[in-house]
Amino acid sequence: MTRLYVHRLLGVPGTLIARSCVPPREGLAARATRWNYWWQAHLLEAMVDAGERELALGRPDEAALWLDRGGRLLRGIRWHNLGSYTNSYYDDMAWLTLAAQRLNALSRRATGRGSAIAQEAGRALYPRLARALTPELGGGAFWNTAEDYKNVPSTAPIAMALARAGRHEDAAPLLSWLRENLFDEERGYLDGIRLVPARSGERVPQVDRSVHSYNQGTVLAAHLEHPAGDLRHAEQIVAAAARNLAVDVEVEGTTVRVLDTRGSGDGGLFAGILARHLAAAAQDERLAAETRATARDLVLATAEMLWSGRREYDPDLPLNEIGVDVTEIRNSAVAVFSPDAARHCSDVLGAGVGAELSSQVQAWTILEAAWRLER
């Protein structure tokens, strides 16, 4: 994937950035302004996954390469963002904080010292995230600096970041607020609470009842990572996700349940984030065996469908050429994955690549999660 999507930012050595789509769908000006900061953060997470995998396989030199790529991507994100790690969206900054935390931890494991650039990012991001946490609506975190919407996409990742940093007393109220205000026992976590102007001039709360897979994953992870996390509630989250956010697929006469990966744009990443944290749940022996099995089966089945439905391309050929057959072994081939795990990539994308970065990072994330379960 990196061979198709990732390149130096404006050709500058020591930087990396990823294209939002291959081939590009927009002109240069649009690509410069709509570059999807938070997709890049999840690409950094996937690079850390790859580095951790190489360490686990006893290949420290390969892990060091991924560590270097991660540092260059973080530098590219900062430079593309006009020299700053911060922007007006607290959820974006929370995602990058989590990725930088993991890059720093990988550096400590691989080299015995932390990553200077990851630590620099953390110093810039943590104070900005603190601004999202206000008393309005009884707690929680605002989505952006407009301060009219408190939601799971900002609150749960901030709770995760605080828990990982050892700030457990700051993270706990966020988990309580989420459960008290946005958990539906049948459907799982609702998206958020918007402050809507009323005729009186006041702003009144209105719940957005949409349910998204990544929200379930981040709240699940926050409970698993917090020392006082509610493990029985974590089991409820896994059950709700399996019930509502997966689909049945017929494979050679057998029904297989996989995560619903369908989605374009931001939605192309949602199931991948859920899969990352389902894999952690599957490996957490504090959870009930049934919960762990459910989480494991969903991740592995989804990964298998994505892998069997991939299409391989020779990146040295023009991107409008038909890709090589997946049964043909060619050293220069790269895999492109379907945005819909239930359908083959060729059926969804056609002859050209045409895949958004979000869906490819999602597939990479799911495949790395499956590897961790199978190793």
Side-chain angles (χ1 to χ4, degrees), residues 8 86 108 128 132 147 169 198 247 251 274 294 323 326 330 361:
R8 288 178 175 177
T86 63
R108 292 191 183 282
R128 189 61 64 93
E147 296 192 346
E169 292 183 358
V247 294
V251 180
L274 173 58
T294 297
V326 296
R330 188 183 294 189
V361 173

Side-chain angles (χ1 to χ4, degrees), residues 35-41 77 81 85 87 92-93 96 125:
W35 60 287
N36 299 298
Y37 173 117
W38 83 283
W39 297 6
Q40 310 286 336
I77 292 171
N81 203 46
Y85 293 108
N87 69 9
D92 282 5
M93 292 186 283
L96 190 59
L125 290 165

Side-chain angles (χ1 to χ4, degrees), residues 11-22:
V12 177
T15 68
L16 291 175
I17 205 73
R19 300 175 178 89
S20 293
C21 189
V22 175

Side-chain angles (χ1 to χ4, degrees), residues 70-261:
R72 287 190 285 150
L73 177 61
L74 194 53
R75 186 175 297 112
I77 292 171
R78 186 188 69 200
W79 286 17
H80 199 301
N81 203 46
L82 304 179
S84 173
Y85 293 108
T86 63
N87 69 9
S88 60
Y89 284 84
Y90 295 117
D91 62 333
D92 282 5
M93 292 186 283
W95 295 122
L96 190 59
T97 301
L98 292 170
Q101 283 177 325
R102 294 189 62 225
L103 183 68
N104 190 55
L106 174 63
S107 180
R108 292 191 183 282
R109 291 183 58 204
T111 70
R113 60 184 183 278
S115 162
I117 192 167
Q119 292 172 8
E120 175 190 69
R123 286 192 296 270
L125 290 165
Y126 269 108
R128 189 61 64 93
L129 294 180
R131 300 182 188 179
L133 309 178
T134 70
E136 283 91 347
L137 297 172
F142 277 117
W143 181 42
N144 59 26
T145 55
E147 296 192 346
D148 59 2
Y149 191 40
K150 287 194 168 182
N151 64 3
V152 179
S154 56
T155 305
I158 290 175
M160 289 171 61
L162 292 172
R164 288 181 184 178
R167 296 171 56 182
H168 303 133
E169 292 183 358
D170 295 324
L174 298 178
L175 297 182
S176 298
W177 182 86
L178 286 167
R179 186 169 184 179
E180 291 166 7
N181 291 276
L182 291 172
F183 183 63
D184 181 297
E185 290 193 6
E186 176 58 30
R187 302 178 65 214
Y189 272 90
L190 311 179
D191 195 67
I193 305 174
R194 196 176 304 278
L195 289 169
V196 179
R199 289 184 178 181
S200 64
E202 297 181 351
R203 298 192 300 175
V204 297
Q206 184 179 87
V207 176
D208 181 339
R209 299 190 61 81
S210 58
V211 173
H212 302 294
S213 50
Y214 73 147
N215 287 338
Q216 320 312 309
T218 52
V219 182
L220 170 64
H223 278 280
L224 295 181
E225 296 193 24
H226 197 287
D230 188 333
L231 299 180
R232 302 292 75 80
H233 184 51
E235 293 169 355
Q236 284 182 292
I237 297 170
V238 173
R243 187 167 56 245
N244 300 309
L245 297 166
V247 294
D248 290 330
V249 181
E250 292 295 323
V251 180
E252 298 179 352
T254 301
T255 300
V256 178
R257 194 153 181 82
V258 301
L259 294 174
D260 187 349
T261 63

